[in-house]
Amino acid sequence: MSTTTTTSTRRGKAPAGEKIADWADGRLGIYGLAKANMRKIFPDHWSFMLGEICLYSFIIVILTGVYLTLFFHPSMAEVEYTGAYAPMHGVRMTEAYASTLDISFSTRGGLLVRQIHHWGALIFVAGMALHMLRVFFTGAFRKPRELNWLFGFLLLVLGCVAGFTGYSLPDDLLSGTGVRFMEGAILAVPIVGTYIAMFLYGGQFPGNDVIPRFFSIHVLLVPGIMLGLLVAHLILVFYHKHTQFAGPGKTNNNVVGMPFLPVYMAKAGGFFFLVFGVIAIIAGTTSINPVWVLGPYRPDQVSTGAQPDWYMGFSEGAIRAMPAWEWNFLGHTVNFGVFIPLVVVGILPALIALYPFFESWLTGDKREHHMAERPRNAPTRTAFGAAWISAYFVLMIAGGNDLWATHFHLSINAITWFVRVGLFVVPFLVFVFTKRVCLGLQRRDRDKVLHGRETGIIKRLPHGEFIEVHEPLPQGEMHRLTSHDQYAALEAGPSVDDNGVVRKQSLVEKLRVKMSQGYFGEENQIPKPTVNEYEEITSGHGHH
């Protein structure tokens, strides 16, 4: 009898799960990929959770949207309503509006899912806006993350597009008014505006095709693009590693934090359910978009107080604040009262999207940056961001000028003129104020590094002088306050070169030097304390 045994007999059969894992790894290389990335380190800071809120709310919106798609009929064919909502019996409406009522009153959980979907979309856009502001104010858009900044910007814009198209699908009186507003904006585009409107609406407004087309855009085109951008965004986050704020042991070449598995994933999983629970509580307690109160859309009815969702309010505010200027040219009317605000509203976001490339050109800095800046250490950039936010809120006031007038008993003309003047004055004042605050905080940080922390202990010197004892800062705190970069302002080159030839400076070069001095000149940042200054003070000369 043979005494040899096979390997499989000695070891026993491999578990089915291990076989599947081996099969998948042999074809996809999952093990090597997981081994390289599952222990990846993520820093721990509350502001980084804004991006997670965006991701989780996007997932919630997708899941609830799939459920709603099963019951919604994107048709503008007219029907007579005979559903569960008795006050609407006998009213003629589109199938889109009727199916929205059926989802709200006849579908199990339909109203709750509708409200979770709507609130989730609002929170997604709000989270994206705050996430972009965090990236902007901390300088996390610098090399090598310029593309990720563009991806995030496109996700924010597409989120607004998805919100507008989804908001328009029920075909109620409020959303129909918004679609009518969009038609007016399109018609204001010279030459091609009328053609675009005819193609979009499938004929004269309101046409028969706008709801089906918005439905395709809302559930297929925009989410598909957003999903691709989101995957690319997350891949770049993994590839470039996460930014982190300065602190002990943190450098531009490492990341201090928690591993992706199991710590970060466990916290992320819990945070997802927390976000979902908060959205569900809001949706279950706070009504939003009650279409049955508003009624179906009719082109001959517009109610006072018709407002878009908050993320589109600035565009309507720009049009409400603009004077009704028109220009008749060769038999054609150009409506500058609508066209100019649309151009401005389109240009400003484009400037925001290109800002990382502008700052890179201004500084000439080609290094990689993995450390997040404190906003106070970039006063001019922070002031520009604050000024932009103030302009946004001024336009939001214009977008709701009728509500401000009725709720606070104000003149709508006075509100309009306040917006027209404030749109130029308020951002300027906010810019100056924010910059002064940042410079003041920089001075305080410099003083803390040189003189230490106030202890509250009062001491009397032999000659009778009373002083407060200062305690030197810990090394970690000093590193946090002094680890940031400070750029030197560019200087205009010599007007004559070494050979005595007059050197011509281009207009672009002159502009770059001027803007660099405005960003990094003597009055635009407080110099960090040097080692010599610190040693001179701490050696006993003037330090208590």
Side-chain angles (χ1 to χ4, degrees):
M1 179 181 293
S2 174
T3 58
T4 60
T5 57
T6 63
T7 302
S8 60
T9 304
R10 290 197 309 267
R11 297 182 180 178
K13 292 184 177 180
E18 184 177 331
K19 289 183 177 180
I20 295 173
D22 289 341
W23 183 89
D25 181 59
R27 290 153 181 80
L28 302 175
I30 295 176
Y31 176 76
L33 184 65
K35 185 177 180 180
N37 293 288
M38 290 302 99
R39 300 294 293 175
K40 192 174 183 67
I41 302 299
F42 280 79
D44 188 12
H45 191 270
W46 67 266
S47 65
F48 299 147
M49 292 193 296
L50 294 172
E52 294 183 42
I53 293 174
C54 301
L55 174 62
Y56 302 151
S57 56
F58 180 75
I59 294 173
I60 292 167
V61 168
I62 292 294
L63 293 177
T64 54
V66 170
Y67 182 80
L68 295 174
T69 303
L70 301 175
F71 305 99
F72 181 73
H73 301 293
S75 171
M76 298 186 71
E78 283 200 350
V79 296
E80 184 176 314
Y81 182 71
T82 58
Y85 188 60
M88 286 285 180
H89 282 184
V91 176
R92 295 196 63 80
M93 59 186 66
T94 61
E95 286 189 2
Y97 184 77
S99 64
T100 304
L101 292 179
D102 290 338
I103 291 173
S104 302
F105 295 106
S106 302
T107 304
R108 186 178 297 276
L111 181 57
L112 178 62
V113 174
R114 265 195 66 225
Q115 300 218 144
I116 290 176
H117 187 74
H118 201 144
W119 278 113
L122 294 180
I123 291 174
F124 169 76
V125 178
M128 280 296 303
L130 292 176
H131 180 58
M132 294 287 289
L133 289 175
R134 197 274 302 174
V135 172
F136 178 84
F137 285 122
T138 62
F141 54 77
R142 295 174 295 174
K143 183 182 178 181
R145 296 177 178 82
E146 300 96 333
L147 281 179
N148 237 5
W149 168 266
L150 290 177
F151 289 161
F153 174 79
L154 290 175
L155 281 169
L156 178 58
V157 172
L158 289 173
C160 294
V161 172
F164 178 78
T165 52
Y167 156 93
S168 304
L169 289 180
D171 201 29
D172 60 285
L173 184 59
L174 183 61
S175 66
T177 303
V179 175
R180 181 68 162 182
F181 175 86
M182 187 187 72
E183 187 223 12
I186 293 173
L187 291 176
V189 179
I191 302 175
V192 298
T194 52
Y195 297 100
I196 296 175
M198 292 291 288
F199 292 146
L200 178 64
Y201 291 96
Q204 196 71 26
F205 180 86
N208 298 312
D209 299 328
V210 65
I211 297 298
R213 290 175 180 177
F214 274 16
F215 182 77
S216 299
I217 293 171
H218 182 71
V219 304
L220 293 175
L221 180 62
V222 173
I225 298 174
M226 292 180 70
L227 191 59
L229 289 172
L230 181 61
V231 171
H233 182 81
L234 294 177
I235 289 174
L236 287 180
V237 169
F238 261 81
Y239 178 72
H240 292 142
K241 71 187 178 182
H242 213 297
T243 57
Q244 60 184 346
F245 288 97
K250 299 178 181 179
T251 69
N252 205 49
N253 300 317
N254 72 345
V255 178
V256 177
M258 64 189 75
F260 183 70
L261 277 178
V263 182
Y264 181 80
M265 279 299 295
K267 294 180 69 174
F271 192 45
F272 168 79
F273 288 106
L274 179 62
V275 171
F276 181 81
V278 170
I279 293 177
I281 290 173
I282 296 173
T285 58
T286 307
S287 178
I288 188 170
N289 197 22
V291 295
W292 55 90
V293 175
L294 304 169
Y297 176 65
R298 287 181 50 180
D300 60 335
Q301 292 183 356
V302 177
S303 61
T304 301
Q307 306 292 325
D309 283 331
W310 66 269
Y311 48 84
M312 299 299 294
F314 73 100
S315 58
E316 181 163 336
I319 293 177
R320 291 193 185 191
M322 183 70 186
W325 294 346
E326 291 185 354
W327 181 31
N328 293 314
F329 178 73
L330 298 178
H332 297 276
T333 300
V334 181
N335 190 344
F336 288 113
V338 177
F339 181 64
I340 290 179
L342 291 179
V343 172
V344 173
V345 167
I347 290 177
L348 287 180
L351 294 178
I352 295 171
L354 297 176
Y355 183 85
F357 305 97
F358 163 75
E359 189 166 304
S360 176
W361 167 78
L362 185 66
T363 60
D365 188 359
K366 305 302 180 184
R367 299 172 299 164
E368 289 193 358
H369 295 272
H370 302 292
M371 301 299 294
E373 288 186 313
R374 302 170 80 198
R376 68 185 63 181
N377 293 327
T380 306
R381 180 208 299 153
T382 302
F384 272 125
W388 185 89
I389 293 173
S390 68
Y392 179 87
F393 279 106
V394 170
L395 289 177
M396 286 287 289
I397 293 174
N401 58 1
D402 51 345
L403 294 180
W404 286 94
T406 55
H407 283 66
F408 296 98
H409 307 290
L410 300 173
S411 167
I412 195 168
N413 291 327
I415 296 172
T416 301
W417 275 106
F418 165 79
V419 171
R420 289 174 178 174
V421 176
L423 193 57
F424 298 94
V425 175
V426 172
F428 173 77
L429 295 178
V430 170
F431 177 89
V432 173
F433 175 78
T434 304
K435 193 171 184 178
R436 300 308 302 173
V437 169
C438 290
L439 293 175
L441 292 173
Q442 281 189 339
R443 289 190 184 93
R444 190 186 70 172
D445 289 347
R446 175 185 170 87
D447 184 69
K448 286 172 66 177
V449 171
L450 294 177
H451 299 284
R453 181 178 62 85
E454 297 176 354
T455 63
I457 300 174
I458 306 300
K459 187 176 182 180
R460 185 178 182 181
L461 299 181
H463 60 275
E465 179 186 0
F466 288 91
I467 64 169
E468 182 180 13
V469 178
H470 285 214
E471 182 181 81
L473 295 179
Q475 289 297 317
E477 181 68 7
M478 291 183 63
H479 173 74
R480 188 176 71 89
L481 297 180
T482 59
S483 61
H484 58 281
D485 294 327
Q486 283 194 324
Y487 297 101
L490 298 177
E491 299 290 342
S495 57
V496 179
D497 63 16
D498 296 337
N499 299 319
V501 179
V502 177
R503 176 178 173 272
K504 291 185 178 180
Q505 193 175 29
S506 68
L507 182 62
V508 174
E509 188 177 356
K510 291 180 180 178
L511 178 63
R512 184 185 179 195
V513 170
K514 194 70 175 176
M515 298 186 74
S516 175
Q517 292 173 350
Y519 261 72
F520 312 114
E522 292 183 2
E523 297 181 357
N524 297 287
Q525 62 181 357
I526 306 301
K528 294 191 299 183
T530 63
V531 175
N532 291 335
E533 288 176 320
Y534 179 76
E535 291 179 348
E536 180 181 355
I537 289 180
T538 55
S539 63
H541 302 289
H543 187 270
H544 303 298

